[in-house]
Structures are given as structure tokens and as C-alpha cells.
Amino acid sequence: MVTFLPGRPGRLADVPSFDRAIGGAESNVACALARTGHPTRWISRVGTDGFGDHLLAAIADCGVDVTHVQRDPLRPTGIYFRTAGERATGIDGEEPDRAEVLYYRAGSAASAMAPGLLDTEALRSARILHLTGITAALSDSCLDVLRSLTRRTPGRPLVSFDVNYRVGLWRDPAQGPGVLLDLARGADLVFVGEDEAEAAWDLHGPDAVRAALPEPTTLVVKQGSQGATAYHRRADGTDTVTYAPALSVDVTAPVGAGDAFAAGYLSATLRDLPAFARLRHGHLMAAASLTVPGDLGTPPTRAHADRLAALTPADWGTLRLGPGWTTDSDSNGSDGVRTARVEVRTT
């Protein structure tokens, strides 16, 4: 989608102007992975309008292969408007000052995706196929796409699925939770926020989520500013459980952090790094997104991220990241700890 971010704080009704950016969970992940050195392909549909031109150019500029994106002359490119802040999850008693988000995606080019329109070879030739629950909410034909891609078939790539529960996107709000649970059960690797699991499935805590989702080989439960827990099934059917605390971050905007976390985790997965390092790379990529106004932060270099991910628990716990931290690594390997934007705090 094309995203419009408010030019100043306030309600959508009161904001006079907006800044154009790009957004979309899957394309965010693709862009972040491409910018960290992984060959990445984005498969979707956009209109033949100027917004479609802008999306393709911006995503290709990140290094993503967009040659399999279809152009629809009859339907527009999707757009949405949002204010700053955390988006609503639908949990009872949620703070009233959550971000306003308005989607204009009904009838969009992406909503017309259908199984017969997709290039099967392009989908199956990847090492990882990353999907999200947002696509499933767009239309019945999009849901058919997700169901076909999460069906366990021989020779498919590793299927990664980010639940991304967006209560405002589902035409029938009662339908979403059950559909998302079924799709997650067909994936190999699942990302879900602890707050999402509570809102969608009334599940409380990572262990409860794993009990409800035993099928995926790997389940990653994101626990906000606390950290993340990964469950990985062994050959004997039991799980190894890995927890990695999050970083202290001076947050500019929370937009796109979940997508960035998934990209960091997938990047480390593609590099065959250990489970703990995968979680830390997820946290680092999320911090790159949290410290910029829009969805896409500038990722740290691979060497910079590897050095930070290798910090001792004590040093990791005293690290604080602020805007610009991804460009503050100096050449002597200090990881920017002497700068104002990447700070190691002492107690």
C-alpha cells in the first residue's frame, strides 16, 4: 500500500496534510531482507496508477525483485492513513489513545489476488515464503490464496506466517480469529504478538499460545518491550524454548516494528544462526524501525548487527538505541557505544 502519515500530531479529522510513504507487512519484510543482503522477491498486485508506479519504484530501490508484481488496469492501488502511536488490538479495556488507522483497500488491485493468478514457480523456488494474515482479510479470493499456500504439500519452501491480526480489516470480525488460527497451523514458522494472541484467541502467555499451535516447527511469540520467546520442535516432538529480552529503545514511532522483527529473525534463519541469535537479530531490526517515523528503518550493517547480537547479557541489558543508531557504528569495532545515539548505560 501507499501509506499517508500525518504531518503533525492530532486526530485524522484535524491533520491538514500527510506525508506519503510505502507500507504493507509483506513488502516491509521484503525490503528489510533485501537491504541486509538477501535476494528477495515480492509477489503482489498494484494498480496502473501513479501510486502503483511509486510502490514498485520504491520497493525495487530497496533491492527487491518486483518483476512478478502484476499491474491491474481496472483496480486502484490500496492506500491507508494513520496517526502515530500503537494500533488498536481489540482487547477490552485498551487505552483510548491508540492510533487511528483508516484502510482504503476494498476493491484494490491486491484484493483481487487469486490462486490462479499467481506464478507458482516463482512462489515455490524460494527458500522461505513469507505470508501474513493481513492478506487473508482483504477478500475471499485472497483468503483462498493463503489457504493454498499454507496447505502442506511436498516440496514447498519453508512457509513463514505472521498472524498480523488487524481487527479493522475483517469484514466479519468474528471470522478473523478462527481463520488466522487455521492458517497458522499450516505454516512452518509462525510469528504472533502476545497481545494479538490475547485479542484474537483469548490466550494468555507464550506457553498457552504454543499449546494452541503445536503444528508449526517454530513458533515465535513477541512480547513487546519485554522480549520474545521461540519454541522449536525437536525430532522427538518436544520443544526447545529460547527467550531473548528486548532492547531499550528511544521510540520515534511504533509503525513497522513487527515486520522488522520478522525480517531480522528470517535473515538470521537464512544464515543458519542459533535460536538466541535469531531473536536478537529480530530485536535489532525492530529497533531500526522503531527509531524512524515510517515503516522502514535503515538496517544496521550485517557486521554491526552481529557484533551487537554477540554482546554479553549484561552489555545487552545496558544498551540503549536512539534515532540514527544504525549509521553510528565506527570502524574500530566499538559498535558506536561512544556516540549519543547508541548508548551503553552503566548503573
Side-chain angles (χ1 to χ4, degrees):
M1 299 172 296
V2 170
T3 304
F4 289 93
L5 305 174
R8 72 182 189 194
R11 302 182 308 150
L12 288 177
D14 302 326
V15 174
S17 61
F18 296 82
D19 296 319
R20 184 188 65 178
I22 65 171
E26 298 88 349
S27 58
N28 286 344
V29 172
C31 287
L33 281 169
R35 294 172 77 180
T36 52
H38 297 283
T40 308
R41 173 185 296 142
W42 180 51
I43 298 176
S44 188
R45 304 183 84 248
V46 299
T48 54
D49 48 34
F51 287 151
D53 294 342
H54 171 65
L55 274 178
L56 288 181
I59 293 171
D61 191 52
C62 290
V64 178
D65 175 4
V66 297
T67 57
H68 292 273
V69 178
Q70 300 171 357
R71 306 299 298 269
D72 189 329
L74 303 178
R75 299 175 179 86
T77 302
I79 62 173
Y80 86 121
F81 294 78
R82 64 162 294 145
T83 59
E86 296 279 1
R87 69 173 66 244
T89 62
I91 299 175
D92 291 339
E94 194 169 51
E95 300 91 339
D97 59 346
R98 291 279 173 147
E100 291 178 81
V101 181
L102 291 180
Y103 293 100
Y104 296 91
R105 305 190 72 175
S108 69
S111 73
M113 282 190 291
L117 295 177
L118 300 178
D119 185 330
T120 304
E121 180 55 34
L123 289 164
R124 296 180 67 89
S125 62
R127 286 180 61 190
I128 295 177
L129 173 61
H130 182 69
L131 312 167
T132 85
I134 292 176
T135 300
L138 298 183
S139 66
D140 290 340
S141 63
C142 283
L143 177 54
D144 289 342
V145 169
L146 269 288
R147 283 176 169 154
S148 69
L149 296 177
T150 55
R151 188 174 299 119
R152 296 188 182 276
T153 56
R156 75 176 191 178
L158 185 150
V159 174
S160 166
F161 180 70
D162 194 334
V163 171
N164 264 330
Y165 179 48
R166 300 288 185 264
V167 64
L169 271 180
W170 289 90
R171 292 160 294 159
D172 178 2
Q175 177 193 29
V179 167
L180 293 173
L181 192 62
D182 287 343
L183 293 173
R185 286 172 171 156
D188 303 302
L189 165 60
V190 172
F191 299 96
V192 63
E194 191 173 30
D195 56 347
E196 291 179 300
E198 181 182 348
W201 305 320
D202 196 27
L203 298 173
H204 302 269
D207 287 347
V209 180
R210 183 50 161 171
L213 272 175
E215 296 88 354
T217 302
T218 304
L219 169 70
V220 179
V221 181
K222 299 172 290 182
Q223 297 163 266
S225 61
Q226 298 303 306
T229 300
Y231 298 81
H232 185 78
R233 190 174 61 243
R234 304 183 186 96
D236 65 2
T238 62
D239 279 333
T240 58
V241 183
T242 307
Y243 173 76
L247 292 152
S248 295
V249 179
D250 294 328
V251 177
T252 299
V255 186
D259 303 329
F261 180 94
Y265 189 95
L266 291 174
S267 173
T269 299
L270 287 164
R271 297 171 60 200
D272 294 321
L273 298 183
F276 186 71
R278 296 179 191 190
L279 291 172
R280 278 198 167 181
H281 277 272
H283 290 318
L284 288 164
M285 195 73 84
S289 175
L290 289 167
T291 49
V292 298
D295 284 31
L296 295 175
T298 300
T301 65
R302 187 173 292 185
H304 188 191
D306 283 344
R307 288 196 298 269
L308 292 178
L311 289 174
T312 65
D315 285 341
W316 180 269
T318 57
L319 190 68
R320 187 176 188 89
L321 303 180
W325 73 269
T326 58
T327 59
D328 279 341
S329 176
D330 57 11
S331 59
N332 65 12
S334 72
D335 300 313
V337 296
R338 293 195 296 270
T339 74
R341 287 178 282 188
V342 180
E343 172 191 353
V344 173
R345 299 173 297 167
T346 57
T347 57

